[in-house]
Amino acid sequence: FKDLLFCGICGRKLNIHKKSNGTLLIMPCRKEVPDSDIKCNNQGVKLQSLEEEVLQQLQNDPRLQWDQHLQPQEKTSILIDLHERLLLIEQQLRENAEEQAELIEPALARELPYKLLKRVHTRTKQHPILQESRAKIRKQIQDIAMGTQLDMKAPRIGSFEHFTSLPAEQQNEILKQRVKRIYYVRVMPEEIRELPARSPEREAYPFHYTIEYF
């Protein structure tokens, strides 16, 4: 689901974190909701939980014909999507830089609590990753503008079972031929959110998602 997960509340791209035990988590979204001062309250979940539900829906969705070749996208559709992703990354880079500039001086002076120091460290690590993603998207847009032939033909899938046995990166490229975004929402009441992360009530709290197709 790399580059496909977005917050269903504020629309921003969601981050995935890998724990030391290998578990992948969708991180909570704490950005400001557009046109308001309210912080986004979209809570995270184990990535596997969302993957299982989404793949079940994709398996039964008539818009995805697993026994046929996926057709190449129209060039205009690809360009629109690339520009949207580029704008999102540019926005994330600006917000990242602004937050770092605001916090770096007190961080160096050790005047920040540990939680904020950790945030500065996270933003510092994220910045080059975002820059790399921006460079790749710009290169793709440039290639299309120069008429470079893109390799957009997905392999013959054969069956859904065959698709699920492919490496994650190949699955991701195939999904990007048809799935534009997956909007994820998990808003908890305050009394649930304040429970320990491993409490049964919090772990079982439901999430919702919407798949946007090309």
Side-chain angles (χ1 to χ4, degrees), residues 176-214:
K176 284 179 182 176
Q177 297 285 335
R178 288 299 177 92
V179 175
K180 187 174 183 180
R181 293 181 180 180
I182 300 169
Y183 290 100
Y184 161 88
V185 178
R186 193 185 191 209
V187 178
M188 300 178 178
E190 187 174 351
E191 62 271 18
I192 299 292
R193 195 170 68 250
E194 291 180 349
L195 292 173
R198 294 186 179 181
S199 64
E201 296 90 341
R202 179 163 177 159
E203 286 193 334
Y205 199 83
F207 57 83
H208 308 280
Y209 67 91
T210 303
I211 301 175
E212 180 183 357
Y213 295 90
F214 282 106

Side-chain angles (χ1 to χ4, degrees), residues 67-85:
D67 60 342
Q68 296 181 10
H69 286 285
L70 296 178
Q71 298 300 314
Q73 302 168 1
E74 294 291 334
K75 183 185 289 188
T76 51
S77 178
I78 298 174
L79 278 171
I80 290 170
D81 180 53
L82 288 173
H83 280 292
E84 286 180 353
R85 293 185 186 183

Side-chain angles (χ1 to χ4, degrees), residues 2 16 25 41 58 188-189 201 210:
K2 182 182 177 183
I16 297 173
L25 302 175
N41 185 29
L58 292 176
M188 300 178 178
E201 296 90 341
T210 303

Side-chain angles (χ1 to χ4, degrees), residues 1-15 26 29 42 50 81 84-85 88 92 180-185 208 210 212:
F1 290 167
K2 182 182 177 183
D3 299 324
L4 290 173
L5 289 180
F6 288 80
C7 177
I9 299 173
C10 70
R12 291 180 173 87
K13 187 176 176 182
L14 292 172
N15 294 318
I26 299 174
C29 180
N42 202 1
L50 179 65
D81 180 53
E84 286 180 353
R85 293 185 186 183
L88 181 65
Q92 289 177 313
K180 187 174 183 180
R181 293 181 180 180
I182 300 169
Y183 290 100
Y184 161 88
V185 178
H208 308 280
T210 303
E212 180 183 357

